[in-house]
Amino acid sequence: ETGVTQSPTHLIKTRGQQVTLRCSSQSGHNTVSWYQQALGQGPQFIFQYYREEENGRGNFPPRFSGLQFPNYSSELNVNALELDDSALYLCASSYLRSGTANTGELFFGEGSRLTVL
Amino acid sequence: AQSVTQLGSHVSVSEGALVLLRCNYSSSVPPYLFWYVQYPNQGLQLLLKYTSAATLVKGINGFEAEFKKSETSFHLTKPSAHMSDAAEYFCAVTKGSSASKIIFGSGTRLSIRP
């Protein structure tokens, strides 16, 4: 069973640039959630994708966008980078059955650490 | 809206001592509650979860947590701390509906003294 993998593991960008982070979900999972974890903070929910559509969004501006592909992998795109976007970006996958409760068991990747200069 | 508050950003205990990490939740509906652990430079790993079955939940690595509705608490305990328990611990909550998001607390860093 392959776990959640994220790429790249580290990257450095400058203000105003754009970045794309990638996530491969765990085998058998159909849902991907993205979180931003600033240094010393808990993960903040960015959005969730289920069946290739956004299925919930946190308090992040529209310059944070995402995609989910037919194989359930996902991308997080951030445009017009700001210094405060520097953080660890975590991807988590899970299995969600339509109409049933989200039991909340997320399987996390090791994250992509973004530094914005 | 759901939220969790973790009391104490840093807890230090001696090896072999009791571990107690505090979490209080706020939810307008019966919540699902979780504890996750994060080791340095790694992602988060589920320790245990409460989904309205037994109020005392046992997790991995000897940890357990008790759901107390009257106190809106879900504290994490371990009878005897081990050096390998040093990590960041996060309490989390969700409504449990199919579209609900999982909200994490700010975390508690657990240090173990030899």
Side-chain angles (χ1 to χ4, degrees), chain A residues 30-52:
Chain A
N30 59 7
T31 303
V32 171
S33 303
W34 285 93
Y35 286 81
Q36 181 195 65
Q37 186 179 21
L39 200 60
Q41 303 292 320
Q44 300 293 312
F45 177 74
I46 303 175
F47 41 56
Q48 180 185 83
Y49 278 85
Y50 170 62
R51 292 184 175 176
E52 301 178 55

Side-chain angles (χ1 to χ4, degrees), chain A residues 2-77:
Chain A
T2 306
V4 178
T5 58
Q6 293 186 242
S7 63
T9 55
H10 295 82
L11 68 166
I12 300 173
K13 293 284 188 178
T14 57
R15 270 190 308 174
Q17 285 189 311
Q18 178 266 343
V19 67
T20 297
L21 307 179
R22 296 177 175 82
C23 172
S24 293
S25 60
Q26 184 165 310
S27 176
H29 288 178
N30 59 7
T31 303
V32 171
S33 303
W34 285 93
Y35 286 81
Q36 181 195 65
Q37 186 179 21
L39 200 60
Q41 303 292 320
Q44 300 293 312
F45 177 74
I46 303 175
F47 41 56
Q48 180 185 83
Y49 278 85
Y50 170 62
R51 292 184 175 176
E52 301 178 55
E53 292 189 359
E54 191 177 285
N55 184 43
R57 189 180 181 93
N59 295 325
F60 281 81
R63 60 189 185 84
F64 285 78
S65 62
L67 286 172
Q68 187 180 32
F69 301 99
N71 66 354
Y72 305 118
S73 66
S74 177
E75 285 183 356
L76 164 65
N77 299 290

